[in-house]
Amino acid sequence: MSKIITLLKKDFLLELRQQHTFFGILLYVASTIFVLYLAMGQPESTVYNGLFWMIQLFVCINAVAKSFMQESKGRMLYFYTITSPVHFIIGKLIYSIIIMLLMVLLSLLLFRILLGNPVFNYLQFVGIAFLGGMSLSLVFTLMSAIAAKAQQNAAIMAILGFPLIIPQLLLLIRLSRAAYGEVFREGALLQISLLLGGLDILVIVLGIVLFPFLWRD
């Protein structure tokens, strides 16, 4: 656990030294939501829900893509000598989750201020938004690791990531409709939540199993 915490500290120190990247993503979130406010005002619940998850998808790509892309070959060789691949990938996953949760929190705040609040159960929607942010960050962190080994090709991350992310997005959009007052049959919400959690666990297991093979390359 101490090694994972040390790797997390390293990532956050790098983020503090490269503040332009972090604040650039914050500006992207704020400006996108502000443009939506200018163009649409306060949309109805269905449009509100779709816009929210669309923005989270592209924010995640921008925020998490650099997780492995910013690591040079020399630095990765150094990490190879001092830590294990399992500790390294777990540290990256936790770091990506924390960054994405901050972006989700900012999005929720700006959406509520600028685009209103058509949500019937806001606390439930916040919980679903955080769960969705975690799910998106896990998938794109793993895709970033694969893309970093393919000549730093970010296009590979998008090509591999979108087929995997579509089922999660469909589940999140369906699940978040409950917060807008849509009635589900008994047990449906629990089934969707368990399925989404199962996909998250599967991504984590795949990362732990597959990353050591990337690590040796």
Side-chain angles (χ1 to χ4, degrees):
M1 193 65 190
S2 61
K3 292 182 179 180
I4 296 174
I5 294 174
T6 302
L7 290 169
L8 279 174
K9 288 180 180 178
K10 181 268 299 180
D11 283 326
F12 282 113
L13 285 174
L14 287 176
E15 196 68 56
L16 289 175
R17 293 177 182 177
Q18 301 173 356
Q19 295 183 9
H20 61 281
T21 305
F22 180 74
F23 286 111
I25 298 172
L26 293 181
L27 180 61
Y28 171 79
V29 176
S31 60
T32 302
I33 298 174
F34 183 69
V35 169
L36 289 175
Y37 164 71
L38 294 177
M40 307 183 65
Q42 295 185 348
E44 61 178 2
S45 60
T46 305
V47 178
Y48 187 98
N49 190 34
L51 289 174
F52 179 82
W53 290 113
M54 181 183 69
I55 289 177
Q56 299 318 303
L57 173 62
F58 289 104
V59 167
C60 185
I61 294 174
N62 286 283
V64 176
K66 60 185 180 62
S67 178
F68 281 89
M69 300 294 186
Q70 66 182 0
E71 304 288 3
S72 64
K73 290 184 178 180
R75 190 184 297 168
M76 289 296 291
L77 181 60
Y78 172 68
F79 292 144
Y80 184 84
T81 61
I82 63 173
T83 188
S84 71
V86 174
H87 293 149
F88 192 80
I89 189 62
I90 291 176
K92 285 290 186 182
L93 290 172
I94 295 174
Y95 169 76
S96 298
I97 288 173
I98 294 173
I99 293 295
M100 191 58 199
L101 290 181
L102 290 175
M103 298 301 164
V104 169
L105 184 61
L106 176 63
S107 298
L108 288 169
L109 180 63
L110 292 176
F111 260 75
R112 182 152 190 170
I113 293 173
L114 296 177
L115 301 182
N117 181 28
V119 181
F120 180 75
N121 189 335
Y122 195 75
L123 289 179
Q124 185 181 31
F125 183 72
V126 171
I128 296 170
F130 283 150
L131 177 62
M134 291 174 57
S135 300
L136 295 174
S137 65
L138 289 173
V139 171
F140 280 107
T141 300
L142 183 58
M143 294 304 103
S144 176
I146 296 173
K149 292 297 183 179
Q151 304 298 323
Q152 304 285 327
N153 193 344
I156 293 179
M157 186 183 69
I159 294 170
L160 295 176
F162 275 106
L164 296 175
I165 214 67
I166 286 174
Q168 285 189 333
L169 279 177
L170 291 175
L171 288 174
L172 287 168
I173 292 171
R174 184 64 176 162
L175 186 62
S176 59
R177 287 178 183 173
Y180 294 93
E182 182 173 330
V183 179
F184 288 78
R185 65 180 177 84
E186 186 178 356
L189 287 179
L190 179 59
Q191 291 176 4
I192 297 174
S193 301
L194 291 175
L195 183 58
L196 188 60
L199 288 174
D200 292 344
I201 295 174
L202 179 62
V203 172
I204 294 173
V205 172
L206 284 175
I208 293 175
V209 172
L210 297 178
F211 185 73
F213 296 96
L214 295 173
W215 183 258
R216 299 192 195 103
D217 186 11

